[in-house]
């Protein structure tokens, strides 16, 4: 069975299929960063709103708060600022240990929109809605964006708050807007693995080859006898 060693080496060296990485708690994904940058672009458009607004800063705790609400809406099949338990955006932020002076929330739902169009679609919809636009250009300082999807169904929650920077730094990570591009360049995969179909096929092939080898050895034994 000397051929088994090179065969096993071949199986180990075979390319696998991408294995999606799970979302890291508090770390923005590429799509969440896209939404954030589009929102700050709207806030920077003084020709439209005639306001002197500071760019919002992403915060790890608020990202988790937003994601949990998006996940909850997907899991329990609803779309609202008040969840089925009666909890509001303020309740969710407070439960995460955040002290704030103002809070707001924008929600987005889509189905059938390609992933590369989701961020722009969400921000365009908010900008064209007076209530959502008021949040975008509100006197806020920190934000968290949480995107959850199942197939082509996307839920997006954006939380806005005004809070003391010292407090926010003490409870989590404040992301520097000038370095978000480095986060976007991180690989979107968590390594490689063989698909179930490929692995099953290889096991079957290996069993067949072992059977053929055993049969060949038996024939050689009886021939010599």
């Amino acid at each position: 069975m000397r051929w088994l060693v090179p065969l096993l080496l071949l199986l180990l060296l075979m390319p696998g299929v991408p294995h999606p990485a799970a979302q890291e708690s508090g770390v923005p994904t590429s799509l969440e960063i896209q939404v954030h940058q589009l929102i700050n672009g709207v806030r920077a458009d003084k020709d439209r709103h005639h306001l002197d607004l500071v760019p919002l800063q992403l915060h790890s705790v608020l990202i988790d708060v937003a994601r949990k609400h998006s996940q909850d809406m997907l899991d329990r099949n609803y779309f609202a600022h008040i969840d089925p338990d009666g909890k509001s955006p303020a309740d969710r932020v407070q439960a995460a240990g955040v002290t704030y002076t103002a809070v707001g929330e924008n929600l987005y739902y889509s189905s059938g929109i390609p992933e590369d169009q989701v961020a722009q679609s969400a921000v365009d919809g908010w900008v064209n809605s007076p209530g959502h636009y008021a949040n975008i250009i509100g006197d806020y300082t920190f934000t968290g964006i949480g995107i959850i999807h199942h197939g082509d169904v996307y839920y997006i929650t954006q939380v806005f708050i005004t809070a003391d920077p010292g407090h926010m730094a003490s409870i989590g990570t404040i992301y520097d807007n000038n370095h978000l591009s480095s986060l976007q360049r991180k690989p979107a995969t968590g390594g490689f693995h063989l698909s179930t179909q490929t692995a099953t096929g290889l096991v079957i092939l290996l069993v067949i080859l072992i059977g053929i080898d055993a049969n060949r050895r038996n024939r050689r034994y009886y021939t010599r006898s």
Side-chain angles (χ1 to χ4, degrees):
M1 306 242 316
R2 289 173 295 178
W3 50 269
L4 277 178
V5 174
L7 177 61
L8 291 173
L9 289 173
L10 177 62
L11 295 182
L12 290 173
L13 292 173
M14 286 183 64
V17 295
H19 178 63
Q23 289 180 331
E24 279 189 80
S25 176
V27 178
T29 65
S30 178
L31 191 54
E32 289 164 352
I33 290 172
Q34 287 180 48
V35 173
H36 174 65
Q37 292 175 329
L38 288 170
I39 291 295
N40 271 342
V42 174
R43 287 174 66 87
D45 187 3
K46 294 182 181 180
D47 291 338
R48 175 169 183 153
H49 51 62
H50 309 292
L51 299 171
D52 188 16
L53 302 174
V54 299
L56 296 172
Q57 289 185 284
L58 278 173
H59 192 277
S60 59
V61 173
L62 298 179
I63 289 171
D64 284 341
V65 169
R67 280 187 192 156
K68 287 177 183 177
H69 187 57
S70 292
Q71 185 69 61
D72 190 51
M73 289 191 292
L74 173 64
D75 292 343
R76 295 203 276 178
N77 192 31
Y78 72 96
F79 183 70
H81 296 289
I82 307 299
D83 69 24
D85 301 320
K87 300 295 178 61
S88 68
D91 294 327
R92 292 188 285 273
V93 171
Q94 288 175 352
V98 180
T99 301
Y100 61 89
T101 57
V103 62
E105 184 181 79
N106 281 352
L107 301 178
Y108 169 85
Y109 167 87
S110 72
S111 176
I113 296 178
E115 182 179 359
D116 61 357
Q117 298 177 25
V118 168
Q120 191 66 63
S121 174
V123 175
D124 286 347
W126 289 337
V127 168
N128 292 320
S129 166
H132 295 92
Y133 183 63
N135 277 337
I136 292 175
I137 61 171
D139 189 21
Y140 297 112
T141 51
F142 295 97
T143 189
I145 297 161
I147 301 178
I148 298 295
H149 75 96
H150 180 71
D152 64 355
V153 174
Y154 284 81
Y155 286 87
I156 302 179
T157 300
Q158 180 166 18
V159 178
F160 304 84
I161 70 166
T162 303
D164 176 67
H167 165 67
M168 297 304 288
S170 71
I171 64 170
T173 301
I174 300 173
Y175 290 99
D176 186 340
N177 287 325
N178 295 322
H179 295 101
L180 289 175
S181 58
S182 63
L183 293 175
Q184 286 183 297
R185 287 196 294 269
K186 284 187 175 181
T189 59
F192 290 87
H193 73 290
L194 293 175
S195 67
T196 302
Q197 295 88 343
T198 302
T200 302
L202 290 174
V203 169
I204 293 173
L205 175 61
L206 186 59
V207 170
I208 291 173
L209 291 174
I210 291 174
I212 292 173
D213 184 75
N215 186 54
R216 179 178 58 81
R217 287 172 179 272
N218 287 336
R219 286 202 307 270
R220 183 181 299 174
Y221 173 78
Y222 286 117
T223 300
R224 288 178 180 176
S225 300

